[in-house]
Amino acid sequence: MSHRAGRTRWRRFAVVLVPCVAACASVGIAMAQGALAASFFISGQKFQVTADSLTARGFSLYGTIDVTRKHELVPVVVSGFRHATVRGLCQSVVVDIPVVGTRTLRLTGGDGRPAEASNLFIDATTETVADATFGNLDIGVAQGALTKGPVRSTDRNSRFFDPDAVAQQATSATLTDVRVNAVAVSAGTFNIPGLALRLVRGDQACP
């Protein structure tokens, strides 16, 4: 059943869609036997993505499985945005470098003028938002029936994508104080005014 509303407001938004253990096991066995070939490998290392606010036209949320070069399976939630405006963007990854020690690579931008992205996809293991407002929200739509928000073509054509699994979509979304642990981010275009990239000492992940 489709749930529709002009505006739906959630004080706390924390959704994780994880495929069942049996599905993960069957996919792993198939890969080990060479029945499946992974077309996209992730590093497997998590990184932080934060934003003061994210406003989008065309939003989708669905589950899938990413694969590392070692053929490890990583269940993720994919947030898709057809067009997104991002303020106060921060992305960071903490690495331990032999001899040198811990360093954090931080990318920031979109403070004075917001960053803009088209067909933005964030593959996350956890995601929290202080406040979320959705327009024309559908919860429980089948992944294969998503139309209001984008679905990455490589996901839709993947053996890991279950068209009958539960998903969420909306014509618009406004999120504030976004905090994401991600394993991958991709976009058709991503314009980031005031882009700054710094390598700093110690663990200084995005706040």
Side-chain angles (χ1 to χ4, degrees):
M1 180 175 64
S2 176
H3 300 272
R4 298 178 182 272
R7 293 170 67 83
T8 301
R9 196 172 191 82
W10 291 352
R11 260 318 279 175
R12 194 74 178 171
F13 172 75
V15 180
V16 177
L17 301 177
V18 181
C20 67
V21 174
C24 291
S26 64
V27 170
I29 293 171
M31 290 184 62
Q33 295 175 343
L36 297 177
S39 58
F40 176 75
F41 293 111
I42 62 170
S43 71
Q45 182 172 2
K46 296 178 183 178
F47 55 93
Q48 289 70 47
V49 179
T50 67
D52 293 338
S53 67
L54 188 156
T55 303
R57 298 194 308 269
F59 167 76
S60 59
L61 187 77
Y62 59 92
T64 188
I65 299 176
D66 286 348
V67 187
T68 70
R69 285 178 57 85
K70 295 180 181 179
H71 286 182
E72 297 170 335
L73 305 181
V74 182
V76 296
V77 179
V78 180
S79 295
F81 307 92
R82 203 176 303 281
H83 181 271
T85 300
V86 186
R87 293 185 179 276
L89 173 67
C90 179
Q91 178 179 314
S92 66
V93 58
V94 179
V95 294
D96 291 321
I97 305 174
V99 181
V100 175
T102 302
R103 292 292 187 273
T104 302
L105 182 64
R106 289 186 58 158
L107 179 154
T108 58
D111 291 326
R113 185 161 57 90
E116 294 191 21
S118 63
N119 291 322
L120 173 65
F121 296 94
I122 303 175
D123 295 25
T125 55
T126 63
E127 179 175 347
T128 62
V129 177
D131 195 75
T133 301
F134 299 98
N136 297 313
L137 176 67
D138 295 325
I139 300 175
V141 62
Q143 290 188 167
L146 287 168
T147 56
K148 294 178 180 178
V151 177
R152 196 162 38 205
S153 59
T154 52
D155 287 341
R156 193 181 291 276
N157 297 326
S158 170
R159 296 282 187 91
F160 301 96
F161 185 82
D162 182 358
D164 296 319
V166 65
Q168 178 176 319
Q169 65 178 354
T171 56
S172 65
T174 301
L175 315 176
T176 59
D177 194 15
V178 181
R179 298 289 181 269
V180 180
N181 284 326
V183 294
V185 174
S186 61
T189 61
F190 208 153
N191 176 258
I192 308 176
L195 174 66
L197 185 64
R198 294 186 300 157
L199 184 64
V200 296
R201 186 187 300 272
D203 184 344
Q204 299 188 41
C206 297

